[in-house]
C-alpha cells in the first residue's frame, strides 16, 4: 500500500469513529465526571502511651471530593486539615492497642469527616481514608 492510501484510510477511520461517538452521545445523558481525590501527604502523628511520646507515624490521607469540587479548589484548605489532624492527635492520640507502629485508621477517618464541613464547606469531602502509614521507628512495644 502506498503511504497516501494509509493516510486516507486512517483519516476515514478517525472520522467514522468520531461520528459514531457523537451520534451515540446525542441520545444519552452526559456521563458523570470522575471523582478526583486530594492527597495530603507527610502528616506526622504522635503515638502517645502512658503520657510519653513513643513514636511518630507519618500518614498520607486521601480526601474524596464532592461534586463540584476539584483538588485545585481545596488546595488552600490543606494546611487547615493538617492542623486539625495534628491537634486532634495530641489531644486524643489515634493509638492502636499494643502497637506503636500504626494508627487507628477508623478514628482518623471519623475525625476528619466530622471536621471537613467546617474546614471546607458542606459536601466538599465525601470520604476520607488513610492511604499510607509509615512509622518513624519500626519497633513495637517492648515487653518488660
Amino acid at each position: 500500500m502506498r503511504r497516501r492510501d494509509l493516510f486516507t484510510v486512517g483519516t476515514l477511520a478517525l472520522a467514522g469513529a468520531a461520528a459514531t461517538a457523537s451520534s451515540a452521545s446525542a441520545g444519552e445523558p452526559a456521563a458523570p465526571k470522575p471523582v478526583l481525590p486530594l492527597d495530603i501527604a507527610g502528616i506526622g502523628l504522635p503515638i502517645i502511651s502512658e503520657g510519653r511520646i513513643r513514636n511518630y507515624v507519618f500518614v498520607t490521607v486521601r480526601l474524596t471530593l464532592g461534586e463540584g469540587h476539584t483538588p485545585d479548589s481545596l488546595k488552600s484548605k490543606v494546611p487547615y486539615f493538617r492542623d486539625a489532624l495534628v491537634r486532634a492527635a495530641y489531644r486524643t492520640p489515634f493509638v492502636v492497642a499494643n502497637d506503636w507502629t500504626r494508627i487507628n485508621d477508623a478514628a482518623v477517618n471519623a475525625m476528619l469527616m466530622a471536621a471537613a464541613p467546617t474546614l471546607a464547606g458542606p459536601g466538599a469531602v465525601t470520604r476520607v481514608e488513610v492511604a499510607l502509614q509509615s512509622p518513624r521507628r519500626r519497633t513495637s512495644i517492648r515487653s518488660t
Side-chain angles (χ1 to χ4, degrees):
M1 230 179 185
R2 292 182 299 199
R3 187 173 13 169
R4 180 178 25 181
D5 294 336
L6 286 174
F7 287 129
T8 305
V9 169
T11 304
L12 289 174
L14 286 174
T20 304
S22 66
S23 66
S25 66
E28 297 177 13
K33 293 182 181 178
V35 177
L36 298 174
L38 174 64
D39 288 344
I40 304 174
I43 305 169
L45 301 179
I47 301 295
I48 300 173
S49 175
E50 299 172 3
R52 295 181 58 197
I53 295 178
R54 304 296 183 165
N55 198 3
Y56 283 93
V57 176
F58 296 92
V59 298
T60 298
V61 177
R62 178 167 291 145
L63 305 176
T64 303
L65 305 179
E67 190 171 330
H69 297 280
T70 63
D72 291 334
S73 68
L74 288 179
K75 285 273 188 197
S76 63
K77 303 293 183 183
V78 168
Y80 298 108
F81 279 102
R82 286 178 178 272
D83 183 58
L85 187 57
V86 171
R87 285 177 187 262
Y90 275 97
R91 253 183 279 135
T92 310
F94 304 118
V95 179
V96 174
N98 299 327
D99 194 354
W100 292 346
T101 61
R102 293 185 309 130
I103 60 165
N104 186 348
D105 294 351
V108 170
N109 298 345
M111 180 266 151
L112 281 176
M113 281 303 293
T118 305
L119 297 174
V125 178
T126 58
R127 183 173 168 225
V128 176
E129 65 178 312
V130 176
L132 180 68
Q133 295 186 33
S134 178
R136 180 174 171 217
R137 291 190 195 117
R138 305 253 179 224
T139 59
S140 192
I141 295 178
R142 295 183 192 151
S143 58
T144 56

